[in-house]
Amino acid sequence: MSIKGAQTSAAGGKHTAAIRDEFWGSYIKLVQDVVIPYQYEALHDRVPEAAPSYAIANFEIAAGRKKGQFGGMVFQDSDVAKWLEAVAYSLKLKPDAGLEQRADEVIDLVGEAQQPDGYLNTYFTIKEPGKRWTNLTDCHELYCAGHFIEAAVAYYEATGKDKLLNIMRRMVDYIDTVFGPEEGKLKGYDGHQEIELALFKLYKLTGEDRYLKLGAFFINQRGQKPNFLVEEWKQRGQVTHWTGRTEHMDPAYNQAHVPVREQEVAVGHSVRAVYMYTAMADLAALTGDTALQEACERLWNNMTEKQMYITGGIGSTHHGEAFTFDYDLPNDTVYAETCASIGLIFFARRMLELAPEGRYADVMERALFNNVLGSMAQDGKHYFYVNPLEVWPQACTHDPGKHHVKAERQGWFGCACCPPNVARLLTSLDEYIYTIHGDTLYTNLYIGSELQATLSGTDVAIEQHSSFPWAGKVTLRVNPERAAEFGVALRVPSWSDGIQLLVNGQPLRDEVSAGQGYLVIRRTWQPGDVVEVVIPMQAQRIYAHPNLREDAQKTAIQRGPLVYCLEEADNGAPLSSISLAENGGFTDRFDEGLLGGTVVLEGSGLCTDPHSWEGGLYSRKKPQAQPVKITAIPYYLWGNRGAGEMAVWVKEGRA
Amino acid sequence: MSIKGAQTSAAGGKHTAAIRDEFWGSYIKLVQDVVIPYQYEALHDRVPEAAPSYAIANFEIAAGRKKGQFGGMVFQDSDVAKWLEAVAYSLKLKPDAGLEQRADEVIDLVGEAQQPDGYLNTYFTIKEPGKRWTNLTDCHELYCAGHFIEAAVAYYEATGKDKLLNIMRRMVDYIDTVFGPEEGKLKGYDGHQEIELALFKLYKLTGEDRYLKLGAFFINQRGQKPNFLVEEWKQRGQVTHWTGRTEHMDPAYNQAHVPVREQEVAVGHSVRAVYMYTAMADLAALTGDTALQEACERLWNNMTEKQMYITGGIGSTHHGEAFTFDYDLPNDTVYAETCASIGLIFFARRMLELAPEGRYADVMERALFNNVLGSMAQDGKHYFYVNPLEVWPQACTHDPGKHHVKAERQGWFGCACCPPNVARLLTSLDEYIYTIHGDTLYTNLYIGSELQATLSGTDVAIEQHSSFPWAGKVTLRVNPERAAEFGVALRVPSWSDGIQLLVNGQPLRDEVSAGQGYLVIRRTWQPGDVVEVVIPMQAQRIYAHPNLREDAQKTAIQRGPLVYCLEEADNGAPLSSISLAENGGFTDRFDEGLLGGTVVLEGSGLCTDPHSWEGGLYSRKKPQAQPVKITAIPYYLWGNRGAGEMAVWVKEGRA
């Protein structure tokens, strides 16, 4: 096999980074120490408190090692793939012979389950052997293949072992005989996008054009007339895998309503959407396809400027886990799935490769520090799939329209899409810190790390120290192997005011330019140069666009990258009785004992006095309000002190 | 047959009333001129723009007049019954030989569809002949019978014709052989309560104890262990009529989770609930059962003091068209079905018979003038089934969680439960104005009308003139056949302040006492005495209990019995940008040209200036607010000027 060259950024400029960060390091350690081993046990149905996964058992049956029925969801295989991918990243960060051994064994099993023609999917192998490729809309065959391709690439890059890579190349060779523009091949694509971005990863690793071509085919074919998913559904007798016969089939749910270059707004299932946009951006970068890049920008703008929660959550409704329409961002019936925000981070990363604009990194940071980080409990074993911005626990249990919202993180599900996605994101977080354009290194995230890059033909090591998210002090030690001219760009976060920059203790004059959300320092760097950045972090009030009706006349509180929230544990209930004083400030203090240590904010406001209420349900007499102290904690820490009310958006009233 | 005596109030004291009211008269005329004829055509599948009803066709097939399949819902028969009941009330108000002829023909058809053993139900006669009484939970057999009993009683009272009455007495005789405590009989009851209240009407008309006994059996058996509905569902193999096999069956949906006397809070499908509470109150009044009366009071208090919208709507969620829990009253995902408020009015009427307390009439008035009245368009052909308190039309079409909410009244549905219910309520509105306790006449609603009653053994005619809902002037001309001492009680509405009372132009001193929401005048009345009541109507702000999170720090506007709302047509959009000045007043003016003539309210407040917005979706800069004039119209008139935003609850802010 031919391997083009590992660890290449699409935007050019080789680089590798390793996380050395107190804040994120503890989460990565949690993933390594708890999540990956726990998931391994779960995949083997050995976690008593979790519903059986059946995922490994399915492979054992497909491999002929044992007899039995297929178990779990039609896409259950992907949980094995996501675990392998997270293991790969983890091994890259920290060798672990035992873990690698277990992964090798799983890979051996996967190989045994592969069919003679290269096909790999336990559902169709065990349960519906004659039905391959008859229900692309629902059955995730290419989706599962995509996750295994991602795992194969990651595992090769981490260990140099190519067994899984070869398994998946055989699978892709087989897929290539089934799908394509040629006579007799299916003109289809998967109902759940994923294989596209995976094929581009495989292409970047191997340099083999047919992977690029197949991925491009899937992207380009999507939404063409006649609509493949609709025709396929008709051919099946209008039957879906999930609910039986249906009267209606909406390809917008799968972003297959029109060709991708014609799509104007983010629609449908939000995870499918961002996985597709990620692949579109990859393809645009690989081919220079400006129409595709424009579509990516359009969809990015719509999604982040009209349909994104302040926490970086996307998907306003649990009906189809989907986008709804512009400015429709209800806080309490929200979906904002963890996986969708992870996909948004994937997409943001690709947009940063297409164009070095800080706004992409702003969204990446927002989704990472809030929606994604908040999804995981501090034990690594409990998760939010849905990430609400307002919770009334009784409504979660007693109002059927809010049953999908949970007031506390849940144990591992049988269908555990989000936890392994968190695991693979956090163990590969090093890939999101920097991008390189030309000979300029763009710092997108302030996360302590060690970077090795080639800039202007010179090997450069950069050591980043960061006090995020509690303080805004960042230091970069720039160590070119010899003096060299290149650019180092530092992101100016959208929330920042008065950023200060020193190089070797001195302010810069001519060497720095500002634009597109970065300060770019272009100079001849000497080994040992030190860049110091101070980004003041004070609590700020954030307001929502007047069309965002849900948040009208309310404010959210943000400090640095962290969105804050009010919890019942600190402020009592109902939180709806509280309003923040219109012009007050906040005091901040680091509370070491609270939730593992966090900056707590305090402000002042008014709270309706329940004792002043006269009447039954309605009254002509307005209840009185009393001054109160208001306490806010970072959103990502909510729901860790028992079920209670929580709110991100708070009314503003007079002092 | 024996007929005990028509037109007897359960609370004693015969009386009959006839509406003579400009405001309500026009609605009753609309029902007579448009709704009843239109429904007749709809039932015959002759309305091109409405989905076929199949209701008459089903009877023709069951009667053997023609061949064909059953069409429509399992409870489609009830639409014929409700039409007949409305026709009966209408004939009582205004003879119409042609209409009576059509009703007689329908009754002949119903009679032909009755089976030799007395059974009457076209679904089971045509479609599932062997399956009678195998799915009480879902299939509405007793429910349909109940509606026909109500129609039969009303038609007899209106016309003196007993054909339908005899048909239904035969059906009840047959039901009596199937259900009851005796060995070998089913210990069941209908999944949708209705027959209970109908049997009590039949008892009151005929005086036959077995009807009382059967109705009491259904009430008393409900929720007993082992649970009939659950056992029946298991026997059917856990299959429901609607969705096939289900894993779970919740008898709380049918208020059958515990025996009725043990029920503490309103739960489940809201129409079922209030129909049952109505029958419970009937039974309590008929038997003096204090435990049952206490249960009625408990359920009343919970429902009206914890789970009722300010418009008199009940049912917070469209999932099961049901109650959720205390203080959960979302304005935009609301159900508040028209039929549920009509059932609430039934229940309120029965509670007024149990105890003369103005609070029951307050709720009756609230539901009637707001939720129910607002459900019907001024053409009589378009209806709201769901009555929201806040609407964003785009969300109704693009947010699946709000698809059940409509921004404009809809045409007649194939399953048209609400319009015929509105028709039968409005044509029988005379029954809701007065109740008699002892020798005191209680005036519950201020609606122009002519009453004939017997008080202290004296025939009394009372002519009420009312300027409601636009002004609070009411005149009662009291005409006893000779001078007599009795009480005349005038309700003091909960919204009133400074009610004034004159008899023959003079204020009263000793003859008037106040209590339980009434002013009671006890004196020797002379023929021609005139009572004048002036209830000042000024716009008021109403506040919600602090636990009602949805309305926290907001206000609603009410003037007299009418709740007001803001519409986009008057105030622009988004309405969420508007806040009412905290301490401002309202001016009111009658606008003859607007929506058939209405009192419009104007106040002042602030509106976010969209041009002051700087930023994308979120911004650190707060948008500015500008002074605006705020215009409110009665809630019942909303949605008549095209699809637009509407809100009942409005934020309050500084002037």
Side-chain angles (χ1 to χ4, degrees):
Chain A
M1 62 177 277
S2 91
I3 298 293
K4 193 186 184 185
Q7 299 143 338
T8 300
S9 158
K14 276 193 212 170
H15 71 276
T16 62
I19 304 283
R20 300 283 181 269
D21 188 273
E22 194 183 343
F23 183 80
W24 288 103
S26 69
Y27 284 95
I28 294 167
K29 188 167 185 307
L30 186 67
V31 169
Q32 293 177 315
D33 292 351
V34 175
V35 182
I36 290 175
Y38 187 82
Q39 191 185 1
Y40 181 77
E41 294 303 304
L43 292 171
H44 285 81
D45 306 333
R46 293 193 296 243
V47 176
E49 69 272 22
S53 157
Y54 305 106
I56 290 293
N58 289 335
F59 276 96
E60 289 171 339
I61 297 162
R65 290 193 193 174
K66 69 177 191 186
K67 298 278 177 205
Q69 302 292 312
F70 178 87
M73 307 295 269
V74 70
F75 49 80
Q76 207 73 14
D77 286 2
S78 61
D79 275 4
V80 176
K82 285 193 238 171
W83 180 79
L84 282 170
E85 188 183 347
V87 168
Y89 299 137
S90 177
L91 292 174
K92 214 165 105 182
L93 298 177
K94 188 184 81 172
D96 178 335
L99 180 62
E100 187 168 336
Q101 167 74 17
R102 284 189 288 284
D104 285 340
E105 287 165 9
V106 169
I107 290 167
D108 289 343
L109 175 64
V110 170
E112 285 178 47
Q114 188 167 36
Q115 301 300 294
D117 58 1
Y119 184 74
L120 179 69
N121 181 294
T122 71
Y123 177 85
F124 284 96
T125 299
I126 301 170
K127 195 163 177 180
E128 299 203 67
K131 293 282 185 70
R132 287 183 195 174
W133 321 121
T134 58
N135 189 347
L136 272 292
T137 310
D138 302 328
C139 289
H140 294 68
E141 280 164 290
L142 296 172
Y143 167 90
C144 289
H147 274 300
F148 270 109
I149 294 167
E150 285 201 90
V153 170
Y155 203 73
Y156 174 80
E157 290 184 342
T159 64
K161 292 178 180 171
D162 64 4
K163 180 164 186 176
L164 186 58
L165 193 61
N166 289 331
I167 291 168
M168 292 319 298
R169 291 176 78 158
R170 279 189 63 210
M171 172 64 165
V172 175
D173 289 343
Y174 166 67
I175 293 169
D176 225 355
T177 68
V178 178
F179 292 90
E182 297 84 3
E183 180 88 22
K185 290 190 182 178
L186 283 178
K187 308 290 173 292
Y189 39 86
D190 204 84
H192 196 317
Q193 301 90 324
E194 155 64 24
I195 194 167
E196 300 83 355
L197 73 87
L199 285 168
F200 300 140
K201 281 191 176 180
L202 188 61
Y203 166 70
K204 286 188 233 174
L205 177 69
T206 63
E208 293 211 22
D209 278 341
R210 61 205 169 99
Y211 302 140
L212 177 64
K213 211 176 125 198
L214 184 60
F217 169 76
F218 288 137
I219 293 280
N220 295 331
Q221 185 58 25
R222 200 167 197 94
Q224 301 291 347
K225 300 274 178 240
N227 189 289
F228 179 83
L229 300 183
V230 173
E231 295 302 314
E232 183 201 63
W233 167 72
K234 287 183 190 162
Q235 275 192 352
R236 276 195 312 277
Q238 303 186 198
V239 166
T240 82
H241 175 81
W242 306 107
T243 57
R245 214 184 130 76
T246 56
E247 289 307 303
H248 185 66
M249 197 273 173
D250 182 9
Y253 170 79
N254 311 84
Q255 297 80 35
H257 51 306
V258 293
V260 300
R261 285 171 190 75
E262 297 169 26
Q263 297 191 15
E264 299 283 339
V265 295
V267 296
H269 186 261
S270 54
V271 176
R272 283 168 165 81
V274 283
Y275 280 21
M276 178 175 86
Y277 305 157
T278 299
M280 285 165 63
D282 273 336
L283 186 58
L286 289 167
T287 61
D289 181 333
T290 52
L292 198 55
Q293 182 167 348
E294 281 163 20
C296 288
E297 280 168 17
R298 248 184 353 254
L299 292 163
W300 173 273
N301 290 341
N302 172 262
M303 184 167 54
T304 61
E305 292 295 313
K306 303 274 176 73
Q307 302 199 70
M308 184 184 74
Y309 289 92
I310 193 171
T311 51
I314 49 172
S316 299
T317 178
H318 72 290
H319 297 272
E321 308 174 334
F323 293 105
T324 56
F325 65 103
D326 294 353
Y327 299 113
D328 183 41
L329 292 162
N331 293 312
D332 56 349
T333 56
V334 50
Y335 206 70
E337 187 182 344
T338 305
C339 289
S341 284
I342 290 172
L344 177 60
I345 291 170
F346 296 162
F347 184 28
R349 176 69 176 81
R350 302 319 195 273
M351 292 307 282
L352 282 169
E353 289 176 11
L354 282 170
E357 297 181 20
R359 62 195 181 110
Y360 300 127
D362 280 335
V363 168
M364 191 160 79
E365 180 187 80
R366 185 177 290 286
L368 179 65
F369 279 87
N370 298 289
N371 196 293
V372 173
L373 186 56
S375 72
M376 186 164 68
Q378 293 178 316
D379 68 359
K381 294 182 182 174
H382 294 82
Y383 291 84
F384 285 127
Y385 294 64
V386 172
N387 297 280
L389 283 81
E390 184 178 315
V391 164
W392 180 17
Q394 270 187 284
C396 300
T397 49
H398 289 90
D399 184 338
K402 293 175 188 160
H403 279 177
H404 62 289
V405 180
K406 306 298 177 195
E408 295 185 278
R409 292 169 184 79
Q410 305 289 296
W412 206 276
F413 287 12
C415 160
C417 60
C418 297
N421 242 346
V422 173
R424 70 187 183 121
L425 177 71
L426 293 185
T427 48
S428 62
L429 201 52
D430 50 282
E431 296 180 8
Y432 297 84
I433 302 172
Y434 297 102
T435 42
I436 295 173
H437 286 265
D439 64 356
T440 299
L441 177 79
Y442 287 84
T443 312
N444 300 309
L445 293 177
Y446 294 110
I447 293 179
S449 54
E450 289 173 11
L451 173 82
Q452 292 292 337
T454 305
L455 294 161
S456 300
T458 308
D459 286 346
V460 183
I462 291 186
E463 203 178 293
Q464 182 183 160
H465 295 270
S466 165
S467 55
F468 271 49
W470 309 125
K473 185 158 185 223
V474 176
T475 309
L476 266 65
R477 294 183 179 275
V478 183
N479 271 308
E481 56 177 349
R482 57 181 174 275
E485 188 188 324
F486 53 86
V488 172
L490 298 148
R491 184 174 135 256
V492 182
S494 65
W495 47 263
S496 70
D497 230 357
I499 188 169
Q500 293 175 321
L501 187 61
L502 300 173
V503 172
N504 299 328
Q506 301 299 319
L508 296 178
R509 291 195 186 155
D510 304 333
E511 294 171 319
V512 68
S513 62
Q516 303 293 349
Y518 293 93
L519 293 176
V520 184
I521 312 170
R522 168 157 296 282
R523 68 197 290 272
T524 302
W525 297 91
Q526 306 291 337
D529 278 351
V530 174
V531 180
E532 287 171 276
V533 188
V534 177
I535 312 172
M537 280 190 188
Q538 61 271 359
Q540 302 174 336
R541 295 179 190 224
I542 309 289
Y543 300 92
H545 191 286
N547 285 347
L548 205 173
R549 288 145 175 86
E550 182 88 4
D551 301 333
Q553 304 185 42
K554 292 185 173 183
T555 186
I557 310 165
Q558 187 170 339
R559 183 181 178 280
L562 298 179
V563 173
Y564 274 66
C565 69
L566 272 52
E567 280 207 299
E568 183 178 338
D570 301 308
N571 300 284
L575 291 176
S576 59
S577 288
I578 290 177
S579 58
L580 259 175
E582 219 161 33
N583 298 310
F586 296 94
T587 60
D588 54 10
R589 62 183 167 82
F590 192 84
D591 185 338
E592 275 191 44
L594 186 66
L595 299 163
T598 187
V599 171
V600 174
L601 300 179
E602 286 176 1
S604 62
L606 291 176
C607 182
T608 302
D609 175 10
H611 301 106
S612 72
W613 179 250
E614 295 174 16
L617 191 51
Y618 303 108
S619 171
R620 281 184 272 162
K621 184 147 182 288
K622 186 173 181 170
Q624 290 172 348
Q626 291 182 325
V628 283
K629 188 186 78 178
I630 292 168
T631 302
I633 65 159
Y635 171 78
Y636 83 87
L637 289 171
W638 84 274
N640 279 305
R641 292 177 285 175
E645 289 192 29
M646 182 277 288
V648 168
W649 292 94
V650 190
K651 294 181 193 73
E652 260 194 354
R654 35 173 98 199
Chain B
M1 61 177 277
S2 91
I3 299 295
K4 192 184 182 185
Q7 299 143 341
T8 300
S9 158
K14 276 196 214 169
H15 71 275
T16 63
I19 303 282
R20 299 283 182 269
D21 189 274
E22 195 184 341
F23 183 80
W24 288 103
S26 71
Y27 284 96
I28 293 168
K29 188 168 183 309
L30 186 67
V31 170
Q32 293 177 315
D33 294 350
V34 175
V35 182
I36 289 175
Y38 187 83
Q39 191 187 359
Y40 181 77
E41 295 302 303
L43 291 172
H44 285 81
D45 306 334
R46 292 193 296 244
V47 177
E49 69 272 21
S53 156
Y54 305 107
I56 290 293
N58 289 336
F59 276 96
E60 288 171 338
I61 297 162
R65 288 193 193 175
K66 68 176 192 188
K67 298 277 177 205
Q69 302 292 312
F70 179 87
M73 308 295 269
V74 70
F75 49 79
Q76 207 73 15
D77 287 2
S78 62
D79 276 2
V80 175
K82 285 194 238 172
W83 180 78
L84 282 170
E85 187 183 347
V87 168
Y89 299 136
S90 178
L91 292 175
K92 213 165 106 182
L93 300 176
K94 189 183 82 172
D96 178 335
L99 179 62
E100 189 168 334
Q101 168 73 18
R102 284 189 288 282
D104 286 339
E105 287 165 8
V106 169
I107 290 167
D108 289 343
L109 174 64
V110 170
E112 286 178 47
Q114 188 166 36
Q115 301 299 294
D117 58 1
Y119 185 74
L120 179 69
N121 182 293
T122 71
Y123 176 84
F124 284 96
T125 299
I126 300 169
K127 196 163 176 181
E128 298 203 68
K131 293 284 185 68
R132 287 183 196 175
W133 320 121
T134 58
N135 188 346
L136 273 291
T137 310
D138 302 328
C139 290
H140 294 69
E141 280 163 290
L142 296 172
Y143 167 89
C144 289
H147 274 300
F148 270 110
I149 294 167
E150 285 201 89
V153 170
Y155 203 72
Y156 173 79
E157 290 184 342
T159 65
K161 292 178 179 170
D162 63 4
K163 179 163 186 176
L164 187 58
L165 193 61
N166 289 330
I167 291 168
M168 292 319 297
R169 292 177 77 159
R170 279 190 62 211
M171 172 63 166
V172 175
D173 289 344
Y174 167 66
I175 292 170
D176 226 355
T177 68
V178 177
F179 293 90
E182 297 84 4
E183 180 87 21
K185 289 188 182 179
L186 283 178
K187 307 291 173 290
Y189 39 84
D190 205 85
H192 195 317
Q193 302 90 324
E194 156 64 23
I195 194 167
E196 300 83 356
L197 71 89
L199 285 168
F200 300 141
K201 280 191 177 181
L202 189 60
Y203 166 70
K204 286 187 231 173
L205 177 70
T206 63
E208 293 210 23
D209 278 341
R210 61 205 169 97
Y211 302 141
L212 176 64
K213 210 176 125 199
L214 183 61
F217 168 77
F218 287 138
I219 293 279
N220 295 331
Q221 185 57 26
R222 201 167 197 94
Q224 301 291 347
K225 300 271 177 241
N227 190 288
F228 178 83
L229 300 183
V230 173
E231 295 303 312
E232 184 201 63
W233 167 73
K234 287 183 191 161
Q235 275 192 352
R236 278 195 311 277
Q238 303 187 197
V239 165
T240 81
H241 174 82
W242 307 108
T243 56
R245 215 184 128 77
T246 54
E247 290 307 303
H248 184 66
M249 198 273 174
D250 182 9
Y253 170 79
N254 311 85
Q255 297 80 36
H257 50 306
V258 292
V260 301
R261 286 171 189 75
E262 296 169 26
Q263 298 192 14
E264 299 283 340
V265 295
V267 297
H269 186 261
S270 54
V271 177
R272 284 169 165 78
V274 283
Y275 281 20
M276 179 175 85
Y277 305 157
T278 299
M280 286 164 63
D282 273 336
L283 185 58
L286 289 166
T287 61
D289 182 332
T290 52
L292 199 55
Q293 182 167 348
E294 280 164 21
C296 288
E297 280 167 18
R298 248 186 351 256
L299 292 164
W300 173 274
N301 290 341
N302 173 261
M303 183 168 55
T304 61
E305 292 295 313
K306 304 275 177 70
Q307 302 200 68
M308 184 184 73
Y309 289 93
I310 192 171
T311 51
I314 50 172
S316 299
T317 177
H318 72 290
H319 297 273
E321 307 175 336
F323 293 103
T324 55
F325 65 104
D326 293 355
Y327 301 113
D328 183 41
L329 292 161
N331 293 313
D332 56 347
T333 56
V334 49
Y335 205 71
E337 188 183 344
T338 305
C339 289
S341 284
I342 291 172
L344 178 59
I345 291 170
F346 297 162
F347 183 29
R349 176 68 176 79
R350 303 318 195 273
M351 292 306 282
L352 282 169
E353 290 176 10
L354 282 170
E357 297 182 19
R359 62 197 181 108
Y360 300 127
D362 281 333
V363 167
M364 191 160 79
E365 181 187 78
R366 186 177 290 286
L368 179 66
F369 279 87
N370 298 289
N371 195 294
V372 174
L373 187 57
S375 72
M376 186 165 67
Q378 293 178 316
D379 69 358
K381 294 182 182 173
H382 294 82
Y383 292 84
F384 285 126
Y385 293 64
V386 172
N387 297 279
L389 282 81
E390 184 177 317
V391 164
W392 179 16
Q394 269 187 285
C396 300
T397 49
H398 289 91
D399 184 339
K402 293 176 188 158
H403 280 177
H404 62 290
V405 180
K406 307 297 177 194
E408 296 186 277
R409 292 169 184 79
Q410 305 288 295
W412 207 275
F413 286 13
C415 159
C417 60
C418 297
N421 243 347
V422 173
R424 71 186 183 121
L425 177 70
L426 294 186
T427 49
S428 62
L429 200 54
D430 51 282
E431 296 180 8
Y432 297 84
I433 301 172
Y434 297 102
T435 40
I436 295 174
H437 285 265
D439 64 355
T440 300
L441 177 79
Y442 287 84
T443 312
N444 300 309
L445 293 178
Y446 293 110
I447 294 179
S449 54
E450 290 173 10
L451 172 81
Q452 291 293 336
T454 304
L455 295 161
S456 300
T458 308
D459 286 347
V460 184
I462 292 187
E463 203 177 291
Q464 182 182 159
H465 294 271
S466 165
S467 56
F468 271 50
W470 308 125
K473 186 158 183 224
V474 176
T475 308
L476 265 66
R477 292 181 181 277
V478 183
N479 270 308
E481 56 176 351
R482 59 182 172 274
E485 190 189 323
F486 53 84
V488 171
L490 297 147
R491 184 175 136 253
V492 182
S494 66
W495 47 262
S496 69
D497 230 355
I499 189 169
Q500 293 174 320
L501 186 61
L502 299 174
V503 173
N504 300 327
Q506 301 298 319
L508 296 179
R509 290 193 188 156
D510 303 333
E511 295 170 320
V512 66
S513 61
Q516 303 292 350
Y518 293 93
L519 292 176
V520 183
I521 312 170
R522 169 158 294 281
R523 67 198 292 270
T524 300
W525 296 91
Q526 306 293 337
D529 278 352
V530 174
V531 181
E532 287 171 277
V533 189
V534 176
I535 312 173
M537 279 191 188
Q538 60 272 359
Q540 302 173 336
R541 294 177 190 225
I542 310 289
Y543 300 92
H545 191 287
N547 285 348
L548 205 173
R549 288 143 175 87
E550 181 87 4
D551 302 332
Q553 305 186 41
K554 292 185 173 183
T555 185
I557 309 166
Q558 187 170 340
R559 183 181 178 280
L562 298 179
V563 172
Y564 274 66
C565 69
L566 272 53
E567 281 207 298
E568 182 177 338
D570 301 308
N571 300 286
L575 290 176
S576 59
S577 287
I578 290 177
S579 58
L580 261 175
E582 219 161 31
N583 299 310
F586 296 93
T587 60
D588 53 10
R589 60 182 168 83
F590 192 83
D591 185 337
E592 278 191 42
L594 186 65
L595 299 165
T598 186
V599 171
V600 173
L601 300 178
E602 285 177 1
S604 62
L606 291 175
C607 182
T608 302
D609 176 9
H611 301 107
S612 72
W613 178 252
E614 294 174 16
L617 191 51
Y618 304 107
S619 171
R620 282 184 273 162
K621 183 146 182 289
K622 185 174 182 170
Q624 291 173 346
Q626 290 182 327
V628 283
K629 188 186 76 178
I630 292 168
T631 302
I633 64 159
Y635 171 78
Y636 83 87
L637 289 170
W638 85 274
N640 280 305
R641 292 178 286 176
E645 290 191 29
M646 182 276 289
V648 167
W649 291 95
V650 190
K651 294 181 193 74
E652 261 193 352
R654 35 173 99 197

